[in-house]
């Protein structure tokens, strides 16, 4: 018997969404409607699928939940992919909570799980553990060892395990299919406003403020510095942003890059917050990207840099 280890995320939210640390679902969440996928970004296409599944659950008076994976499978299989995520796991959970799911299952995607055959996945998880009545998947959904499972595989076992697989149609906008891949392209090319429309919210990076070399403070523009970790890397340069922290929400300006004027070597997100001047080291903040202003460049002197920053701030405001 293959035992599956799942990542532990146990937290009592004020809302009703239950996050499972294993596949031992409460009886009230069995025999329901389930959507399955990576849901990276939770963009308009994902929201459409989730809302469709929710309507089905409401119509049939069944519980509705979602299965997703951690880490993102493509990052598990290719360790060279470091910057890929549109959302952090924390962001994904909070966004799903807002969509009012009954439950969320986060499966630890590891070597053991990836070795399950397509039939084992259906038998052990879909039937034995979830026992869902309706399963929502995308038309290109692949599962099981070496991605051998397809929509046809699901259809083959529907009668045996008493479930119905519903294949969702891709969501199009301006004749283009909305996908996480498309949104990554928008972000990496600096088309942040277009990406935000596809996400139906502002794309943001969250993290803990780290100590820097205080160069910004020395030239009159103090910054909060964040590492991107495994977030997708946006086009390098300057952005108009909004910053949320504990008990504050402010506009600001951010530079993502290597600080060529100072011969920087590490990629960093530096944010100057308008109207706030206090120590935020080790504090959690969220930086929402609103508009791309200019590319990163190397300046001849600090005076040239300071002059440009003033212009950037004016544009951002």
């Amino acid at each position: 018997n293959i035992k599956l280890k799942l990542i532990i995320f146990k937290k009592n939210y004020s809302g009703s969404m239950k996050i499972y640390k294993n596949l031992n679902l409460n009886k009230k969440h069995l025999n329901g409607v389930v959507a399955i996928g990576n849901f990276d970004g939770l963009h308009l296409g994902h929201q459409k699928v989730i809302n469709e599944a929710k309507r089905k659950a409401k119509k049939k008076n069944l519980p509705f939940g979602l299965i997703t994976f951690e880490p993102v499978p493509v990052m598990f299989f290719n360790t060279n992919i470091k910057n890929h995520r549109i959302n952090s796991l924390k962001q994904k959970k909070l966004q799903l909570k807002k969509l009012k799911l009954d439950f969320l299952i986060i499966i630890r995607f590891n070597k053991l799980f990836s070795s399950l055959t397509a039939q084992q996945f259906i038998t052990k998880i879909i039937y034995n553990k979830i026992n869902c009545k309706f399963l929502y998947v995308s038309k290109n959904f692949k599962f099981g060892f070496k991605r051998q499972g397809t929509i046809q595989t699901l259809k083959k076992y529907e009668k045996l395990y008493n479930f119905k697989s519903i294949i969702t149609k891709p969501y199009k906008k301006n004749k283009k299919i909305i996908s996480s891949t498309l949104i990554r392209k928008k972000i990496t090319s600096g088309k942040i406003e277009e990406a935000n429309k596809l996400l139906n919210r502002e794309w943001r990076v969250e993290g803990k403020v780290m100590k820097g070399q205080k160069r910004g403070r020395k030239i009159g523009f103090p910054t909060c510095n964040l590492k991107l970790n495994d977030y997708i890397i946006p086009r390098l340069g300057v952005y108009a942003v909004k910053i949320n922290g504990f008990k504050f929400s402010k506009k600001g300006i951010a530079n993502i890059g290597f600080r060529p004027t100072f011969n920087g070597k590490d990629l960093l997100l530096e944010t100057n917050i308008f109207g706030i001047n206090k120590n935020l080291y080790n504090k959690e903040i969220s930086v929402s990207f609103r508009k791309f202003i200019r590319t990163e460049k190397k300046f001849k002197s600090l005076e040239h840099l300071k002059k440009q920053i003033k212009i950037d701030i004016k544009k951002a405001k």
Side-chain angles (χ1 to χ4, degrees):
N1 292 331
I2 296 178
K3 293 184 178 179
L4 299 177
K5 291 185 178 180
L6 291 103
I7 195 161
I8 298 175
F9 290 107
K10 189 174 182 181
K11 185 174 182 179
N12 294 320
Y13 289 102
S14 57
S16 59
M17 185 178 78
K18 167 72 175 177
I19 298 181
Y20 281 99
K21 65 179 182 179
N22 52 45
L23 284 166
N24 298 321
L25 274 64
N26 292 336
K27 287 185 178 180
K28 65 179 181 179
H29 292 148
L30 298 173
N31 304 303
V33 179
V34 173
I36 184 168
N38 293 320
F39 298 101
D40 185 27
L42 281 171
H43 51 66
L44 282 173
H46 293 147
Q47 292 169 39
K48 174 179 174 285
V49 171
I50 290 171
N51 287 328
E52 282 181 7
K54 277 172 59 180
R55 284 193 291 271
K56 172 70 76 173
K58 186 176 181 180
K59 183 179 179 180
K60 298 290 185 179
N61 195 27
L62 297 172
F64 168 58
L66 186 148
I67 298 175
T68 192
F69 309 100
E70 186 63 27
V72 180
V74 69
M75 297 183 74
F76 169 80
F77 286 114
N78 189 347
T79 55
N80 292 323
I81 297 177
K82 301 298 182 184
N83 296 93
H84 182 78
R85 303 185 73 130
I86 298 172
N87 271 359
S88 67
L89 178 62
K90 178 182 176 182
Q91 287 172 311
K92 183 188 289 188
K93 290 190 290 182
L94 290 175
Q95 288 156 11
L96 287 171
K97 181 188 172 186
K98 290 178 182 178
L99 292 174
K100 298 181 179 179
L101 277 67
D102 294 314
F103 62 94
L104 170 65
I105 300 170
I106 306 174
I107 295 180
R108 167 69 80 176
F109 201 96
N110 55 20
K111 189 174 181 179
L112 181 63
F113 177 77
S114 66
S115 68
L116 285 175
T117 65
Q119 183 180 349
Q120 286 175 325
F121 179 85
I122 295 172
T123 304
K124 294 177 178 293
I125 297 178
I126 301 304
Y127 178 65
N128 288 339
K129 291 295 185 178
I130 314 283
N131 195 20
C132 63
K133 297 304 178 188
F134 297 92
L135 181 66
Y136 279 74
V137 294
S138 65
K139 68 174 185 178
N140 58 352
F141 179 63
K142 300 286 181 65
F143 63 98
F145 183 64
K146 293 187 177 180
R147 293 165 53 86
Q148 292 176 346
T150 63
I151 300 302
Q152 288 70 34
T153 314
L154 288 175
K155 293 292 183 183
K156 179 181 175 181
Y157 288 93
E158 281 185 344
K159 287 186 178 180
L160 179 62
Y161 293 132
N162 193 29
F163 74 91
K164 181 175 177 58
S165 50
I166 298 176
I167 316 308
T168 60
K169 294 180 180 179
Y171 184 61
K172 293 184 179 181
K173 193 168 185 177
N174 298 326
K175 298 182 179 180
K176 284 189 176 182
I177 295 175
I178 296 177
S179 66
S180 299
T181 300
L182 176 61
I183 292 171
R184 288 189 192 94
K185 288 180 180 178
K186 298 290 186 186
I187 293 172
T188 56
S189 61
K191 297 177 181 178
I192 200 67
E193 292 170 289
E194 294 180 22
N196 289 344
K197 287 180 181 178
L198 300 181
L199 288 168
N200 199 29
R201 65 180 183 280
E202 291 173 342
W203 179 66
R204 66 180 186 270
V205 171
E206 295 180 347
K208 188 175 289 187
V209 178
M210 55 182 287
K211 286 190 176 183
Q213 296 183 356
K214 300 182 180 180
R215 290 195 181 106
R217 188 174 299 277
K218 291 175 183 177
I219 62 174
F221 302 100
T223 61
C224 292
N225 300 338
L226 299 179
K227 285 188 175 180
L228 277 188
N229 296 321
D230 53 3
Y231 280 105
I232 187 76
I233 299 174
R235 183 182 181 186
L236 302 187
V238 178
Y239 292 82
V241 297
K242 179 183 176 183
I243 306 94
N244 287 298
F246 183 66
K247 293 185 177 180
F248 78 85
S249 180
K250 297 285 186 180
K251 294 178 181 178
I253 192 166
N255 182 78
I256 177 76
F258 294 91
R259 305 164 308 288
T261 304
F262 301 104
N263 297 315
K265 295 181 180 179
D266 298 322
L267 182 68
L268 205 62
L269 172 60
E270 299 176 293
T271 306
N272 175 251
I273 307 173
F274 303 154
I276 189 170
N277 187 18
K278 62 179 180 179
N279 188 343
L280 293 174
Y281 290 143
N282 295 317
K283 303 293 184 183
E284 294 279 347
I285 66 169
S286 170
V287 181
S288 300
F289 288 67
R290 291 186 155 181
K291 188 176 180 66
F292 181 78
I293 294 177
R294 66 168 175 85
T295 57
E296 186 178 46
K297 59 185 291 188
K298 184 172 184 176
F299 293 91
K300 295 179 180 179
S301 67
L302 287 181
E303 287 306 313
H304 283 87
L305 173 60
K306 287 166 67 175
K307 184 177 179 180
Q308 182 63 55
I309 291 175
K310 289 178 181 178
I311 295 172
D312 295 338
I313 287 176
K314 187 176 180 180
K315 285 184 179 180
K317 286 183 175 180

